[in-house]
Amino acid sequence: AYDMNTGRYGFSYNYGTDWQARNRALTECGWGGCKAYVSFRNGCGALATDNSNRIYGWGTSSNRATAISRALYECRIRGGNCTVKVWSCNGS
């Protein structure tokens, strides 16, 4: 979950259902303007943002390196000088 206005984010992994995982991520983010953008099963996800937290990108894959690479790519094509904020992998 990510809030473009504040730069807050939250994540979760290894939850049994999508709604449980999204609830946890939104709770960590602080709700408000937070949105859950992506979910994944048996794989990895990553979030990248620019320094202003206004440009962002998500990536998912079966492995961490590709998820991170996709998140950076999605952020950069939106015009950001991006870095990875968070990544996680699960087996559920």
Side-chain angles (χ1 to χ4, degrees), residues 25-92:
L26 288 166
T27 298
E28 283 195 13
C29 184
W31 292 88
C34 298
K35 287 179 64 177
Y37 287 93
V38 70
S39 64
F40 51 91
R41 183 173 293 278
N42 295 324
C44 302
L47 164 68
T49 69
D50 71 341
N51 289 339
S52 72
N53 294 316
R54 301 259 187 242
I55 300 172
Y56 64 93
W58 288 101
T60 62
S61 179
S62 60
N63 66 72
R64 179 181 67 121
T66 304
I68 288 172
S69 178
R70 287 178 178 167
L72 287 168
Y73 173 78
E74 291 297 323
C75 186
R76 289 176 180 151
I77 64 169
R78 290 181 173 104
N81 181 15
C82 304
T83 58
V84 174
K85 286 280 192 187
V86 65
W87 65 268
S88 67
C89 297
N90 69 32
S92 298

Side-chain angles (χ1 to χ4, degrees), residues 15-30:
Y15 278 81
T17 66
D18 184 61
W19 71 266
Q20 289 172 317
R22 287 179 181 269
N23 262 0
R24 174 58 188 229
L26 288 166
T27 298
E28 283 195 13
C29 184

Side-chain angles (χ1 to χ4, degrees), residues 2-16:
Y2 184 64
D3 184 335
M4 258 185 16
N5 295 316
T6 65
R8 292 184 317 220
Y9 62 91
F11 66 98
S12 63
Y13 56 94
N14 287 338
Y15 278 81

